[in-house]
């Protein structure tokens, strides 16, 4: 059941971050955490996002509100890129007719 989950405590030790930082990110809606049998886990699907957030926090000293803003902007950019790809594909269909 915990096959694709990483124990939050292990993650915190490895990345040298406080557990409260992870819970703050979860409360802000930036990452998902899962609780199984009273143990908190981080889904593998959240690792890349969480590691990027930790780099922003540690290396660039960005606080939680800044991380929220940056994450929102990055998600928006990714959505715009996906929209552009979709529109280009639709345009190719019309150009080939």
């Amino acid at each position: 059941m915990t096959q694709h989950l990483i124990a939050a405590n292990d993650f915190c030790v490895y990345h040298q971050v406080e557990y409260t930082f992870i819970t703050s990110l979860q409360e802000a809606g930036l990452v998902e955490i899962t609780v199984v049998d009273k143990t908190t886990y981080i889904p593998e699907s959240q690792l890349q996002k969480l590691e990027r957030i930790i780099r922003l926090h540690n290396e660039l000293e960005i606080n939680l509100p800044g991380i929220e803003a940056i994450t929102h902007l990055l998600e928006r950019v990714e959505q715009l890129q996906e929209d552009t790809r979709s529109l280009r594909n639709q345009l190719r269909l019309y150009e080939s007719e």
Side-chain angles (χ1 to χ4, degrees):
M1 181 161 187
T2 60
Q3 181 175 356
H4 297 287
L5 301 172
I6 289 85
N9 287 333
D10 293 345
F11 181 89
C12 291
V13 168
Y14 181 80
H15 288 283
Q16 299 175 346
V17 296
E18 296 291 326
Y19 177 78
T20 55
F21 182 67
I22 303 298
T23 58
S24 295
L25 294 173
Q26 189 265 336
E27 289 169 1
L30 296 174
V31 295
E32 298 172 20
I33 58 175
T34 303
V35 177
V36 177
D37 295 328
K38 299 182 182 180
T39 302
T40 304
Y41 294 94
I42 301 165
E44 281 183 4
S45 62
Q46 296 290 297
L47 286 181
Q48 183 178 17
K49 183 178 190 179
L50 186 53
E51 288 172 342
R52 178 177 44 190
I53 289 171
I54 289 171
R55 281 193 309 276
L56 289 171
H57 179 69
N58 291 342
E59 295 172 15
L60 301 176
E61 298 179 4
I62 298 174
N63 62 12
L64 186 59
I67 290 170
E68 288 180 81
I70 290 168
T71 300
H72 173 73
L73 290 172
L74 288 172
E75 288 172 356
R76 184 71 179 124
V77 166
E78 289 171 5
Q79 182 61 50
L80 289 170
Q81 288 172 334
E82 180 59 35
D83 292 348
T84 301
R85 273 192 291 278
S86 176
L87 290 170
R88 282 185 180 154
N89 289 337
Q90 289 177 12
L91 183 58
R92 283 187 194 119
L93 288 174
Y94 290 113
E95 288 175 341
S96 65
E97 290 180 354

